[in-house]
mmCIF file of all heavy atoms in Angstrom:
data_model
loop_
_atom_site.group_PDB
_atom_site.id
_atom_site.type_symbol
_atom_site.label_atom_id
_atom_site.label_comp_id
_atom_site.label_asym_id
_atom_site.label_seq_id
_atom_site.Cartn_x
_atom_site.Cartn_y
_atom_site.Cartn_z
ATOM 1 N N LYS V 299 2.110 9.433 10.629
ATOM 2 C CA LYS V 299 1.302 8.471 11.409
ATOM 3 C C LYS V 299 1.079 7.322 10.472
ATOM 4 O O LYS V 299 0.681 7.539 9.357
ATOM 5 C CB LYS V 299 -0.021 8.979 11.926
ATOM 6 C CG LYS V 299 -0.866 7.947 12.672
ATOM 7 C CD LYS V 299 -2.139 8.744 13.224
ATOM 8 C CE LYS V 299 -2.907 7.765 14.061
ATOM 9 N NZ LYS V 299 -3.264 6.551 13.460
ATOM 10 N N LEU V 300 1.267 6.116 10.931
ATOM 11 C CA LEU V 300 1.117 4.980 10.055
ATOM 12 C C LEU V 300 -0.391 4.844 9.661
ATOM 13 O O LEU V 300 -1.268 4.980 10.645
ATOM 14 C CB LEU V 300 1.540 3.670 10.894
ATOM 15 C CG LEU V 300 2.983 3.568 11.158
ATOM 16 C CD1 LEU V 300 3.378 2.331 11.891
ATOM 17 C CD2 LEU V 300 3.907 3.671 9.778
ATOM 18 N N GLN V 301 -0.676 4.436 8.542
ATOM 19 C CA GLN V 301 -1.985 4.359 7.987
ATOM 20 C C GLN V 301 -2.365 2.958 7.717
ATOM 21 O O GLN V 301 -1.482 2.160 7.529
ATOM 22 C CB GLN V 301 -2.128 5.288 6.772
ATOM 23 C CG GLN V 301 -1.902 6.856 7.025
ATOM 24 C CD GLN V 301 -1.950 7.525 5.751
ATOM 25 O OE1 GLN V 301 -1.690 6.983 4.598
ATOM 26 N NE2 GLN V 301 -2.239 8.856 5.826
ATOM 27 N N LYS V 302 -3.655 2.629 7.660
ATOM 28 C CA LYS V 302 -4.185 1.390 7.354
ATOM 29 C C LYS V 302 -3.751 0.240 8.299
ATOM 30 O O LYS V 302 -3.584 -0.804 7.752
ATOM 31 C CB LYS V 302 -3.952 1.155 5.784
ATOM 32 C CG LYS V 302 -4.559 2.219 4.861
ATOM 33 C CD LYS V 302 -4.361 1.748 3.456
ATOM 34 C CE LYS V 302 -4.856 2.893 2.699
ATOM 35 N NZ LYS V 302 -4.753 2.514 1.170
ATOM 36 N N LEU V 303 -3.483 0.598 9.509
ATOM 37 C CA LEU V 303 -3.043 -0.437 10.304
ATOM 38 C C LEU V 303 -4.065 -1.620 10.576
ATOM 39 O O LEU V 303 -3.759 -2.849 10.683
ATOM 40 C CB LEU V 303 -2.707 0.064 11.626
ATOM 41 C CG LEU V 303 -1.313 0.938 11.845
ATOM 42 C CD1 LEU V 303 -1.199 1.632 13.122
ATOM 43 C CD2 LEU V 303 -0.162 0.007 11.607
ATOM 44 N N GLU V 304 -5.372 -1.149 10.476
ATOM 45 C CA GLU V 304 -6.391 -2.208 10.645
ATOM 46 C C GLU V 304 -6.435 -3.093 9.604
ATOM 47 O O GLU V 304 -7.076 -4.181 9.678
ATOM 48 C CB GLU V 304 -7.836 -1.425 10.847
ATOM 49 C CG GLU V 304 -8.307 -0.761 9.759
ATOM 50 C CD GLU V 304 -7.634 0.736 9.490
ATOM 51 O OE1 GLU V 304 -6.903 1.154 10.355
ATOM 52 O OE2 GLU V 304 -7.829 1.255 8.364
ATOM 53 N N GLU V 305 -5.876 -2.853 8.423
ATOM 54 C CA GLU V 305 -5.789 -3.723 7.244
ATOM 55 C C GLU V 305 -4.420 -4.438 7.178
ATOM 56 O O GLU V 305 -4.455 -5.686 6.939
ATOM 57 C CB GLU V 305 -6.018 -2.985 5.909
ATOM 58 C CG GLU V 305 -7.274 -2.268 5.663
ATOM 59 C CD GLU V 305 -7.269 -1.378 4.577
ATOM 60 O OE1 GLU V 305 -6.321 -1.461 3.772
ATOM 61 O OE2 GLU V 305 -8.033 -0.545 4.372
ATOM 62 N N GLN V 306 -3.412 -3.852 7.521
ATOM 63 C CA GLN V 306 -2.076 -4.296 7.341
ATOM 64 C C GLN V 306 -1.713 -5.352 8.489
ATOM 65 O O GLN V 306 -1.135 -6.446 8.181
ATOM 66 C CB GLN V 306 -0.909 -3.290 7.232
ATOM 67 C CG GLN V 306 -1.209 -2.304 6.135
ATOM 68 C CD GLN V 306 -1.082 -3.146 4.755
ATOM 69 O OE1 GLN V 306 -0.258 -3.856 4.498
ATOM 70 N NE2 GLN V 306 -2.132 -2.758 3.816
ATOM 71 N N ILE V 307 -1.998 -5.037 9.657
ATOM 72 C CA ILE V 307 -1.670 -6.019 10.766
ATOM 73 C C ILE V 307 -2.451 -7.366 10.624
ATOM 74 O O ILE V 307 -1.718 -8.502 10.662
ATOM 75 C CB ILE V 307 -2.062 -5.336 12.210
ATOM 76 C CG1 ILE V 307 -1.181 -4.141 12.431
ATOM 77 C CG2 ILE V 307 -1.952 -6.288 13.322
ATOM 78 C CD1 ILE V 307 0.311 -4.294 12.520
ATOM 79 N N PRO V 308 -3.734 -7.473 10.362
ATOM 80 C CA PRO V 308 -4.243 -8.784 10.238
ATOM 81 C C PRO V 308 -3.619 -9.544 8.963
ATOM 82 O O PRO V 308 -3.453 -10.769 8.952
ATOM 83 C CB PRO V 308 -5.732 -8.548 9.926
ATOM 84 C CG PRO V 308 -5.934 -7.161 10.549
ATOM 85 C CD PRO V 308 -4.723 -6.369 10.441
ATOM 86 N N MET V 309 -3.225 -8.778 7.972
ATOM 87 C CA MET V 309 -2.655 -9.446 6.860
ATOM 88 C C MET V 309 -1.276 -9.991 7.222
ATOM 89 O O MET V 309 -0.902 -11.168 6.849
ATOM 90 C CB MET V 309 -2.390 -8.431 5.659
ATOM 91 C CG MET V 309 -1.868 -8.969 4.399
ATOM 92 S SD MET V 309 -1.589 -7.684 3.085
ATOM 93 C CE MET V 309 -0.279 -6.907 3.668
ATOM 94 N N CYS V 310 -0.500 -9.218 7.985
ATOM 95 C CA CYS V 310 0.797 -9.726 8.396
ATOM 96 C C CYS V 310 0.806 -10.871 9.327
ATOM 97 O O CYS V 310 1.466 -11.900 9.221
ATOM 98 C CB CYS V 310 1.601 -8.612 9.218
ATOM 99 S SG CYS V 310 2.032 -7.163 8.065
ATOM 100 N N VAL V 311 -0.173 -10.783 10.277
ATOM 101 C CA VAL V 311 -0.415 -11.983 11.291
ATOM 102 C C VAL V 311 -0.945 -13.191 10.450
ATOM 103 O O VAL V 311 -0.468 -14.363 10.767
ATOM 104 C CB VAL V 311 -1.355 -11.575 12.364
ATOM 105 C CG1 VAL V 311 -1.761 -12.756 13.226
ATOM 106 C CG2 VAL V 311 -0.790 -10.491 13.343
#
Side-chain angles (χ1 to χ4, degrees):
K299 183 180 181 303
L300 294 178
Q301 298 173 337
K302 300 184 182 179
L303 288 171
E304 65 282 347
E305 297 171 17
Q306 298 301 315
I307 294 298
M309 185 179 73
C310 293
V311 173

